[in-house]
Amino acid sequence: SDAPYHNSLHAFDVMHVCYLLITKCGAEKYLESFNILSILVAALAHDLGHDGYNNTFHQQISSELAMTYNGISVLENYSAAFLFRILRKKENNIFARLNEDDMKKMKARLIEMIMDTDAAHHYNLMNRFQLGLDTKKLSRGLLSSMILHVSDVSNPTRPGPIAREWAYVVQTEFFRQGDKEKELRLKKSPFMDRDDENLPQMQIAFIDAVVQPIFRLMADFMPLIEDHCLKPLHLNKAFWHNMMQRDIVKIDD
């Protein structure tokens, strides 16, 4: 993809964070090799073919993808289908040694994990995970979905310079969609209007609504996340608050 953010670099980055959560934060003791393989492949594939415009945009313009997938998890459905079109070619089939039953399980897991990266499923995924913790019936599949999803939203948990670089790239892609919304006279999406730029506010809103709660929930199950992810997150949030207080809200500032 030529999208500023949703491209191969993001795919590799998400896979790398999944790997770190598995190996450095203690997830590997709960997972089997089958789960780990499925997580890493799903991470690489979860945004395959993403064009840099979100599901809401595709639904608003009734794009071909939106029509194909009936407006339901449009990009996630497309990415999952894209993955299996790639794997259908003999030279690409990294699962060739799996038997028929294991391949069916792998396909089901990959599809479920990719579907669970849809932002519209964020709170439902958190509720399912909390229920698993409360009832002590947390499945490996659900843990796998959580590892992938938190990795997908993990930019603000990185060391400051890396977190800020990702924030700049995300805003670039947001403005690209915002420009198209203006062109088509669509309703403005939050934080996508380049004439109303406020990167610190965007980052703080994302941290408060999405990143901090889900990483806090994961830390209840995997305590090492506190040091590896939540401490950098708090530092980055403080940085953005400082920028707000100094009225530095644009990249050029």
Side-chain angles (χ1 to χ4, degrees), residues 125-180:
L125 181 60
M126 286 186 65
N127 289 337
R128 287 161 53 202
F129 191 80
Q130 184 66 68
L131 180 62
L133 295 182
D134 292 343
T135 60
K136 297 183 179 180
K137 294 181 179 179
L138 181 63
S139 69
R140 294 187 183 95
L142 181 52
L143 177 58
S144 299
S145 284
M146 276 290 281
I147 289 171
L148 176 56
H149 182 53
V150 299
S151 298
D152 195 22
V153 300
S154 67
N155 292 343
T157 70
R158 316 297 181 79
I162 298 173
R164 291 192 287 276
E165 191 63 36
W166 280 125
Y168 303 151
V169 178
V170 169
Q171 181 170 260
T172 299
E173 186 166 294
F174 275 16
F175 287 168
R176 179 172 172 259
Q177 176 169 320
D179 293 343
K180 183 63 70 170

Side-chain angles (χ1 to χ4, degrees), residues 216-235:
R216 181 71 267 161
L217 177 59
M218 280 290 278
D220 290 342
F221 181 67
M222 296 161 53
L224 290 172
I225 283 178
E226 183 73 44
D227 285 337
H228 287 291
C229 303
L230 284 171
K231 285 186 177 179
L233 177 65
H234 297 324
L235 291 173

Side-chain angles (χ1 to χ4, degrees), residues 34-197:
F34 184 95
N35 306 115
I36 294 172
L37 176 60
S38 68
I39 291 168
L40 298 180
V41 173
L44 282 176
H46 78 283
D47 279 326
L48 268 173
H50 199 301
D51 60 0
Y53 301 96
N54 64 22
N55 282 337
T56 300
F57 180 84
H58 278 278
Q59 292 161 358
Q60 284 187 313
I61 67 169
S62 296
S63 70
E64 284 299 316
L65 286 182
M67 297 292 285
T68 299
Y69 298 110
N70 298 311
I72 300 170
S73 298
V74 176
L75 292 165
E76 292 75 22
N77 269 301
Y78 178 62
S79 295
F82 200 147
L83 168 62
F84 289 104
R85 282 198 295 271
I86 292 172
L87 292 173
R88 187 169 56 186
K89 296 182 180 179
K90 186 176 181 180
E91 63 270 25
N92 297 334
N93 187 9
I94 61 174
F95 300 124
R97 296 175 65 180
L98 294 182
N99 61 42
E100 184 177 353
D101 286 344
D102 284 343
M103 188 58 220
K104 286 181 180 178
K105 293 176 184 176
M106 178 62 71
K107 184 174 183 179
R109 285 302 309 129
L110 290 170
I111 292 171
E112 184 174 355
M113 280 189 286
I114 293 172
M115 292 300 105
D116 280 338
T117 64
D118 185 348
H121 299 164
H122 173 81
Y123 295 106
N124 178 260
L125 181 60
M126 286 186 65
N127 289 337
R128 287 161 53 202
F129 191 80
Q130 184 66 68
L131 180 62
L133 295 182
D134 292 343
T135 60
K136 297 183 179 180
K137 294 181 179 179
L138 181 63
S139 69
R140 294 187 183 95
L142 181 52
L143 177 58
S144 299
S145 284
M146 276 290 281
I147 289 171
L148 176 56
H149 182 53
V150 299
S151 298
D152 195 22
V153 300
S154 67
N155 292 343
T157 70
R158 316 297 181 79
I162 298 173
R164 291 192 287 276
E165 191 63 36
W166 280 125
Y168 303 151
V169 178
V170 169
Q171 181 170 260
T172 299
E173 186 166 294
F174 275 16
F175 287 168
R176 179 172 172 259
Q177 176 169 320
D179 293 343
K180 183 63 70 170
E181 289 173 345
K182 287 180 183 178
E183 178 187 330
L184 298 175
R185 298 184 178 182
L186 300 176
K187 181 182 178 181
K188 294 179 183 178
S189 297
F191 301 112
M192 294 191 183
D193 184 357
R194 68 174 68 249
D195 296 325
D196 191 25
E197 180 180 352

